[in-house]
Amino acid sequence: MRRNDASNDEHRSPYIPNESTHPWRRMVSVGDSFTEGIGDPEPSLPGGHRGWADRVAEVLGGQVDDFAYANLAVRGKLIGQIVADQIEPALALAPDLVTFSAGGNDVIRPGSDPDAVAQQFEDAVARLTSQGATVIVFTGIDTNFTPVFRGIRGKVAIYNENIRGIADRYDCIVADQWALKDIQDMRFFDDDRLHLNALGHHEVARMVLRALNVPNDLQPMQPDPLPSLTWREARVNDLVWARAHLVPWVLRRLRHQSSGDNVTAKRPDAAPIGLPTIVEAPAADRAAGRGQQA
């Protein structure tokens, strides 16, 4: 099968397709809002969101007859909560492929220690790999492109280096968001400026399938051109964002609340995932869909 990205990208390692179908039959995804699919609403699906993990499972499930998928991720969860609530249930499902992304909600908090968060991450990876499953882990995105999170870029970089070291020690596959430059563009993000939108989740799914060396037909999705805004219009947008998203986020922190309170996993059991009947809308229409905050 042909390569599923630009063949003239000289900066990327050559794509070598598998000679046979992929080996995985049971995928379990563990994490927070990123893995739950927040920012990529689809009311017809469990939990009302699609996201990159569903998109990956759709491709994997379309290539073999006996594939099952569970998604235990819940928005807003810190790594300690993910370890406590999701790791053992994930292992009880006997997966042969685990996707594990956690720690982002910890790292963005003021005063957090990325090395301490990484230690919790490593303890979880040690447990997830103990039964022989393939484990794919994620680096954090390079936040230099966004003023909102540019100040924590150094913390994210430290955390990422820890993730890469952990992956090397436990023979995990790394899905490298830091290197995924395509999504370092606010057009790939929801209005909350925190979660990926449908475009962003689609690109992450393509990256994950590339990391797994699974041939597929997913094509790049081009965003609409950025609108030309005056300084005043841009500031008005910033004010609307702060009122709608930043202030509620701060208030939840002060009240020790989470957007994941009283939310349960959208796919708690491993089950077949049907091929999607969803028709991708034009970028402008997709951008109109609104996710929920982490």
Side-chain angles (χ1 to χ4, degrees):
M1 179 173 284
R2 61 170 174 74
R3 180 175 172 172
N4 64 352
D5 55 359
S7 60
N8 61 352
D9 186 354
E10 61 184 17
H11 302 295
R12 179 173 289 156
S13 299
Y15 175 80
I16 303 174
N18 292 319
E19 295 181 356
S20 59
T21 58
H22 68 80
W24 301 289
R25 297 299 182 269
R26 181 166 291 222
M27 169 180 161
V28 177
S29 294
V30 173
D32 52 30
S33 58
F34 169 67
T35 301
E36 187 184 350
I38 300 303
D40 185 11
E42 178 45 62
S44 67
L45 294 178
H49 295 86
R50 193 179 181 192
W52 66 264
D54 281 22
R55 293 165 184 267
V56 169
E58 289 160 8
V59 171
L60 298 180
Q63 296 182 4
V64 294
D65 294 330
D66 52 348
F67 185 80
Y69 162 57
N71 190 320
L72 308 183
V74 175
R75 70 200 74 170
K77 296 303 181 181
L78 301 173
I79 191 167
Q81 296 169 313
I82 293 170
V83 171
D85 299 338
Q86 298 180 31
I87 301 302
E88 294 306 320
L91 290 171
L93 295 172
D96 54 10
L97 174 63
V98 177
T99 74
F100 180 42
S101 175
N105 288 328
D106 300 80
V107 171
I108 67 174
R109 293 194 171 201
S112 61
D113 180 355
D115 294 319
V117 178
Q119 184 57 63
Q120 292 179 281
F121 190 97
E122 181 164 5
D123 292 343
V125 168
R127 187 74 184 101
L128 289 171
T129 57
S130 65
Q131 296 181 358
T134 299
V135 176
I136 183 165
V137 298
F138 293 74
T139 61
I141 191 172
D142 185 350
T143 60
N144 192 50
F145 75 100
T146 169
V148 178
F149 295 110
R150 186 174 296 149
I152 65 167
R153 189 187 189 209
K155 287 173 63 177
V156 176
I158 292 170
Y159 189 59
N160 285 350
E161 287 307 300
N162 279 309
I163 296 299
R164 293 187 180 98
I166 293 166
D168 183 64
R169 288 192 290 277
Y170 292 89
D171 197 25
C172 300
I173 296 171
V174 177
D176 194 359
Q177 283 196 100
W178 185 275
L180 190 59
K181 302 304 180 184
D182 291 344
I183 66 171
Q184 293 173 24
D185 180 329
M186 291 312 301
R187 292 174 295 175
F188 288 84
F189 281 77
D190 194 31
D191 278 356
D192 64 7
R193 306 185 185 182
L194 176 62
H195 297 109
L196 295 168
N197 59 20
L199 291 170
H201 280 284
H202 178 86
E203 287 306 312
V204 169
R206 294 181 67 242
M207 174 191 68
V208 171
L209 291 165
R210 194 161 56 238
L212 293 174
N213 198 27
V214 173
N216 62 88
D217 291 323
L218 300 187
Q219 299 297 316
M221 295 169 65
Q222 298 300 319
D224 290 335
L226 284 170
S228 179
L229 299 178
T230 66
W231 181 90
R232 184 178 297 277
E233 289 171 332
R235 300 295 74 77
V236 169
N237 282 352
D238 290 342
L239 181 60
V240 170
W241 167 78
R243 288 176 174 171
H245 302 289
L246 179 60
V247 171
W249 185 87
V250 172
L251 290 175
R252 285 199 299 273
R253 300 290 80 75
L254 293 174
R255 296 167 180 165
H256 302 287
Q257 296 174 335
S258 167
S259 60
D261 292 344
N262 303 315
V263 176
T264 58
K266 67 179 187 179
R267 294 181 64 95
D269 299 311
I273 183 166
L275 293 178
T277 57
I278 302 162
V279 177
E280 297 289 0
D285 293 338
R286 289 193 301 269
R290 298 295 175 251
Q292 302 176 36
Q293 284 192 314

